[in-house]
Structure formats: C-alpha cells, structure tokens
Amino acid sequence: MTIFSGKSPGFTLVELVIVLSMISIIMVVAAPKFFETSDYTSRGFYEELMGAARYAQKFAVASGCQVQLNITATSYNLKQRASCD
C-alpha cells in the first residue's frame, strides 16, 4: 500500500501551459515546410521535361527527322515536321 504525501504526482497548470505554448510555436514555424508543395512540383516538372527531351532525342535519331522541343515556364511542346527529307 502506497501512502502519498500532501502533493500529488503530476504537472502544474503553469508547466502544461508552457509546454503547449512551446509546441504551438514550433508547429507554426515548422508546419509550412511540411505542407509546401512547390518544391515537389518544380522537381516533378524538371523530371518530366528531362524525360521529354530524352524522348525527343531518341525519336529524332531513330526516325532521322528533326524534332523541336519548345519550353515555356509552365509547359513544354514537342513538334516534328510533317514530312522528313
């Protein structure tokens, strides 16, 4: 049988408020870094663009025709002439 003295084991209200305040400050600073997707989308666009450039190069070599790769800020476009000489 355990007999407790006048104090109960636990946290005081002040300690709980300080810990919750610290956690909320950390979340305000760190949360945007976890939920920002611009880095992922820009890397995905880069990988997709590199794949398209490799495809254009391989297609040009295999067919003997010129292939044009046009790149804009948000998209890309592959063009081939209708007839190859």
Side-chain angles (χ1 to χ4, degrees), residues 4 19 21 24-26 43 45 47 49 52 54 60-61 67 72-74 77 83:
F4 292 107
V19 169
S21 300
S24 64
I25 290 170
I26 290 171
R43 181 63 184 190
F45 180 70
E47 294 291 334
L49 182 62
R54 286 188 204 102
V61 169
V67 177
T72 64
T74 58
N77 189 10
S83 65

Side-chain angles (χ1 to χ4, degrees), residues 1-73:
M1 183 149 75
T2 306
I3 300 175
F4 292 107
S5 62
K7 291 185 174 183
S8 63
F11 297 107
T12 63
L13 182 60
V14 174
E15 291 171 335
L16 290 174
V17 168
I18 290 173
V19 169
L20 289 175
S21 300
M22 290 172 54
I23 290 174
S24 64
I25 290 170
I26 290 171
M27 288 302 295
V28 166
V29 172
K33 295 186 187 297
F34 290 115
F35 298 115
E36 188 172 324
T37 60
S38 65
D39 293 336
Y40 298 112
T41 55
S42 64
R43 181 63 184 190
F45 180 70
Y46 170 77
E47 294 291 334
E48 185 178 349
L49 182 62
M50 292 305 295
R54 286 188 204 102
Y55 172 76
Q57 181 184 21
K58 290 178 183 179
F59 187 76
V61 169
S63 66
C65 297
Q66 291 182 352
V67 177
Q68 183 179 1
L69 176 62
N70 297 322
I71 302 170
T72 64

